[in-house]
Amino acid sequence: QIRDYHRRNHSARFVSETDDYEELLKEEPAIEFTGEEAFGRYLDLHELYNEFINSKFGSLMEYSAYVGTFAQTEKIAHNLKATRPYKEYLEHILEYLMSFLYRTEPLQDIEKIFTKLESEFEEQWINGEVPGWENKGTEKESVLQESAVDLDYYSTVEELVELGPEKLKEALTARGLKGGGTVQQRAERLFLLKHTPLEKLDRKHFAKGDDLKKEIALIEMKMKRLCEILDEVIVRTKENAEKKLTLTYEEMEAEREEEEVQADSESDDEDQQIYNPLKLPMGWDGKPIPYWLYKLHGLGQ
């Protein structure tokens, strides 16, 4: 896993045998947070919120409401989701959540999580079982019935040509395939399904709109998976946003300063951890008592 990490991250620092390990351990990692994130305590979704409320697929709402619902993409109509702007918006969310996780939970193997999710997604997509896109399979099934082209009754491309351009186009688009080209080309494209299952067909035969929907559905699944991992942070962020609605500017500033002091004190406490492997009783000065004193008074009996 270490080798794979360095293979993927060429800019990662390589520690050689000649390096001074003690000096390296003294180095403080440079982790940057926005003021809103409060050192990783909350998410900062303000840019994404503004992008959402100013889009065609979004709606006006309070920031606190957005924090609690931004992962509920199934509430957005499919015709509004199957667009480039919506895909870009999703990518921005995913990018931010990954960045937040890298900074707050660096041991989370996001690539491993996504690899497993992608394999599950392929099977769910074929079966029309992707959350929020469940109707995909049934919609196609109803359109297929309407197109009424059963390939079992056709043994040659020439027989399909006799159906005419419009009928062939209906049959192709019902299956998510490109419907353009000459009558001969449409018949040849449809005839491919005579011996090749739809899911194994070369992607070049599929309409771009269907590919876009699939890409969007996968990004949604990835985003929701990260939201599951960050569930506590999201709840905390929503509560903080709701509380801010009732605070004055001075009260918010005072609270922010208090959080900064708390973060510094927690860091100091970690630096001052007392080494006590024998679990000796603590003395008046807050340090373990000497071992000889412990034995002398028979405290270990």
Side-chain angles (χ1 to χ4, degrees), residues 10 13 33 42 44 53 68 95 134 140 153 169 172 179 183 186 201 209 212 216 227 233 261 278 296:
H10 300 292
R13 181 167 183 174
F33 291 102
Y42 311 115
D44 184 358
I53 63 173
E95 184 181 348
E134 293 90 344
K140 280 196 172 183
Y153 293 101
K169 183 177 181 179
L172 287 166
V183 178
R186 294 178 189 183
L201 205 62
L212 179 63
I216 289 170
C227 285
V233 181
V261 170
L278 297 177
L296 179 65

Side-chain angles (χ1 to χ4, degrees), residues 42-100:
Y42 311 115
L43 295 173
D44 184 358
L45 302 174
H46 284 86
E47 285 188 17
L48 298 166
Y49 164 69
N50 288 326
E51 187 176 350
F52 177 79
I53 63 173
N54 288 299
S55 66
K56 290 183 179 178
F57 52 80
S59 57
L60 289 174
M61 61 177 70
E62 291 286 348
Y63 175 70
S64 56
Y66 173 77
V67 174
T69 59
F70 78 92
Q72 299 172 11
T73 54
E74 63 276 3
K75 293 184 177 180
I76 302 173
H78 280 205
N79 63 315
L80 296 175
K81 292 206 293 185
T83 60
R84 292 287 173 189
Y86 178 72
K87 184 190 174 189
E88 289 173 5
Y89 162 73
L90 280 181
E91 288 171 340
H92 295 160
I93 295 180
L94 189 64
E95 184 181 348
Y96 173 74
L97 294 179
M98 288 174 65
S99 166
F100 188 86

Side-chain angles (χ1 to χ4, degrees), residues 10 24 35 52-53 62 65-66 71 73 93-94 96 103 110 116 125 146-147 172 184 189 192 204 234 267:
H10 300 292
L24 289 173
F52 177 79
I53 63 173
E62 291 286 348
Y66 173 77
T73 54
I93 295 180
L94 189 64
Y96 173 74
R103 288 176 289 147
I110 297 177
K116 182 182 178 183
W125 181 258
E146 290 174 13
S147 66
L172 287 166
Q184 180 71 22
R189 194 177 304 127
L192 292 171
K204 68 181 181 181
I234 293 172
S267 177

Side-chain angles (χ1 to χ4, degrees), residues 67 111 113 123 131 139 190 208 214 231 233 239:
V67 174
E111 288 191 20
I113 292 170
E123 185 176 349
E139 283 174 2
L190 185 60
K208 289 183 179 179
K214 185 177 179 181
D231 181 58
V233 181
E239 291 172 350

